[in-house]
């Protein structure tokens, strides 16, 4: 009988999570949209670690392209270790966390609140101390996530960010795509695998290439390849890869191609053609067509990838529920 892991079980819960989240949080999204208008921020500051930080990279591209606000990523140690405060009075701050309990994340949020920022917490654990610190608390609605490798909570963060931006900007096409997203994810779950154990077995290392939103999810893809399959994977923007790192191809490094069919597509595929010309082995992930809203496409790619990497790990004799040296909640100072 095929083994059922916690990682696979939770990844397959994503469609239900996102459907529940969009309905449950609609009042919070509307309230937040009003608060953002009243605060009139000049920039966005995103606080997170690990997978949550990777969701913040997606948020950066989303907010800058759809809301026109510059986005900066926090270095929590600036406050928690060095004791410094930042001038964040004109900032909209997003705090992203599965547990909402890491001391450095809490300290950074408290500092932002003291400095006058509008603080929004995107957190899965509704008993988190961040609920009493943030101005607006948006539950991710992912339910208990037991697997060490986060899946549904990451996807729930992306969908929450998309919902916030869609409602704030009154983007009817994106709102419709979000309503249809659970059904699209179910279709992806039922589709054949893209990345296989046979492809991954020979790899000690690889490079994950994407552009813009493709690069944003490349960070999470590379992390999961490390966590679940023990492959030394590094993510690069396909544009940035040409500025030096392309010399890695001299060491026979494989390329994982994360292609989003949006404004970046032609540029990205030109760079993929260049690495192929230089002899790289390229492994494509799920390709999404022009029929899919481009801001939804990254979630479809991640849904298929999570199931593929879990299956590959098992076939390679690894336990995706017990990655070496990792635990579910990591608390850093």
């Amino acid at each position: 009988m095929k083994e059922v892991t916690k990682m696979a079980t939770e990844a397959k819960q994503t469609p239900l999570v996102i459907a529940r989240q969009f309905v449950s949080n609609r009042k919070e999204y509307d309230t937040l949209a009003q608060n953002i208008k009243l605060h009139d921020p000049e920039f966005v500051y995103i606080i997170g670690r690990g997978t949550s930080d990777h969701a913040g990279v997606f948020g950066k591209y989303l907010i800058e392209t759809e809301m026109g606000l510059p986005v900066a990523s926090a270095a929590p140690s600036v406050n928690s270790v060095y004791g410094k405060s930042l001038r964040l009075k004109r900032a909209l701050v997003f705090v992203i966390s599965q547990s909402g309990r890491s001391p450095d994340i809490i300290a950074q949020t408290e500092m932002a609140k003291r400095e006058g920022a509008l603080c929004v917490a995107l957190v899965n654990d509704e008993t988190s101390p961040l609920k009493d610190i943030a101005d607006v608390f948006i539950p991710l609605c992912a339910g208990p996530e037991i697997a060490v490798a986060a899946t549904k909570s990451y996807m729930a963060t992306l969908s929450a960010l998309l919902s916030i931006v869609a409602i704030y900007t009154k983007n009817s096409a994106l709102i419709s795509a979000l309503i249809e997203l659970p059904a699209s994810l179910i279709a992806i779950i039922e589709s054949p695998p893209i990345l296989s154990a046979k492809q991954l077995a020979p790899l000690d290392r690889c490079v994950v290439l994407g552009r813009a939103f493709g690069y944003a999810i490349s960070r999470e893809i590379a992390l999961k390849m490390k966590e679940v399959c023990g492959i030394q994977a590094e993510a690069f923007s396909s544009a940035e890869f040409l500025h030096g790192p392309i010399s890695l191809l001299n060491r026979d490094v494989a390329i994982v191609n994360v292609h989003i069919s949006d404004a970046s597509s032609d540029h990205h595929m030109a760079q993929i053609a260049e690495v192929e010309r230089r002899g790289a082995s390229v492994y494509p992930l799920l390709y999404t067509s022009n029929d899919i809203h481009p801001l939804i496409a990254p979630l479809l790619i991640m849904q298929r990838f999570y199931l593929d990497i879990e299956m590959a790990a098992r076939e390679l004799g690894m336990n995706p529920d017990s990655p070496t040296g990792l635990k579910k909640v990591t608390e850093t100072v």
Side-chain angles (χ1 to χ4, degrees):
M1 181 181 292
K2 178 182 175 181
E3 180 183 359
V4 179
T5 65
K6 297 181 181 70
M7 182 180 177
T9 299
E10 291 175 354
K12 289 179 180 178
Q13 291 170 357
T14 300
L16 178 60
V17 166
I18 289 177
R20 179 173 63 231
Q21 181 197 75
F22 191 78
V23 174
S24 299
N25 286 349
R26 186 57 194 260
K27 182 178 178 180
E28 283 78 6
Y29 296 148
D30 290 336
T31 299
L32 177 56
Q34 294 170 8
N35 288 348
I36 294 172
K37 289 185 174 103
L38 289 172
H39 191 70
D40 191 23
E42 294 181 351
F43 66 100
V44 174
Y45 188 69
I46 299 182
I47 302 169
R49 293 279 195 195
T51 290
S52 296
D53 184 50
H54 297 163
V57 178
F58 180 88
K60 173 181 174 64
Y61 283 102
L62 178 66
I63 292 164
E64 290 190 345
T65 58
E66 298 297 309
M67 293 174 63
L69 290 172
V71 179
S73 178
S77 298
V78 169
N79 177 258
S80 63
V81 174
Y82 293 94
K84 303 298 182 181
S85 293
L86 302 176
R87 289 183 289 182
L88 296 172
K89 185 175 182 179
R90 303 301 303 163
L92 167 61
V93 171
F94 285 102
V95 190
I96 302 173
S97 177
Q98 201 287 133
S99 69
R101 297 187 179 280
S102 188
D104 53 350
I105 300 300
I106 293 171
Q108 190 82 347
T109 308
E110 289 174 334
M111 179 273 290
K113 185 71 183 293
R114 285 195 307 269
E115 292 298 318
L118 173 61
C119 294
V120 183
L122 302 177
V123 180
N124 194 39
D125 184 349
E126 295 187 44
T127 66
S128 161
L130 290 172
K131 191 169 187 176
D132 296 323
I133 300 170
D135 296 292
V136 180
F137 186 86
I138 306 287
L140 296 179
C141 303
E145 189 173 57
I146 300 168
V148 173
T151 56
K152 62 179 179 174
S153 64
Y154 173 79
M155 296 282 277
T157 305
L158 301 195
S159 65
L161 288 166
L162 285 164
S163 298
I164 289 165
V165 169
I167 289 169
Y168 175 77
T169 60
K170 299 180 180 178
N171 186 331
S172 58
L174 181 55
I175 291 171
S176 296
L178 284 164
I179 292 170
E180 296 167 2
L181 177 57
S184 299
L185 290 169
I186 290 170
I188 293 298
I189 290 170
E190 294 173 351
S191 68
I194 304 295
L195 202 61
S196 68
K198 182 178 179 180
Q199 291 170 313
L200 296 178
L203 302 184
D204 292 322
R205 57 185 181 269
C206 72
V207 169
V208 187
L209 291 185
R211 187 76 183 265
F213 289 94
Y215 167 65
I217 61 170
S218 292
R219 300 265 298 255
E220 173 65 4
I221 289 168
L223 176 62
K224 288 299 180 287
M225 293 184 83
K226 295 185 189 88
E227 286 182 339
V228 179
C229 283
I231 297 170
Q232 176 56 36
E234 297 300 330
F236 291 95
S237 160
S238 54
E240 195 66 32
F241 190 67
L242 300 182
H243 292 270
I246 197 168
S247 64
L248 289 171
L249 297 184
N250 297 328
R251 301 174 65 90
D252 193 29
V253 174
I255 302 292
V256 176
N257 176 17
V258 185
H259 178 204
I260 306 291
S261 185
D262 65 4
S264 71
S265 178
D266 289 346
H267 305 287
H268 172 70
M269 291 310 294
Q271 288 143 1
I272 291 296
E274 175 62 17
V275 299
E276 286 182 316
R277 188 187 69 79
R278 299 196 187 196
S281 298
V282 176
Y283 300 94
L285 293 185
L286 175 71
Y287 174 72
T288 55
S289 70
N290 292 325
D291 296 332
I292 299 296
H293 194 294
L295 293 176
I296 297 300
L299 282 78
L300 303 184
I301 291 172
M302 289 308 306
Q303 180 70 78
R304 186 66 260 165
F305 169 76
Y306 280 141
L307 297 175
D308 288 356
I309 199 75
E310 180 275 342
M311 186 187 309
R314 285 189 290 103
E315 291 177 2
L316 293 171
M318 302 175 188
N319 182 358
D321 284 341
S322 185
T324 303
L326 296 180
K327 57 183 181 179
K328 183 61 185 173
V329 178
T330 302
E331 297 185 359
T332 48
V333 177

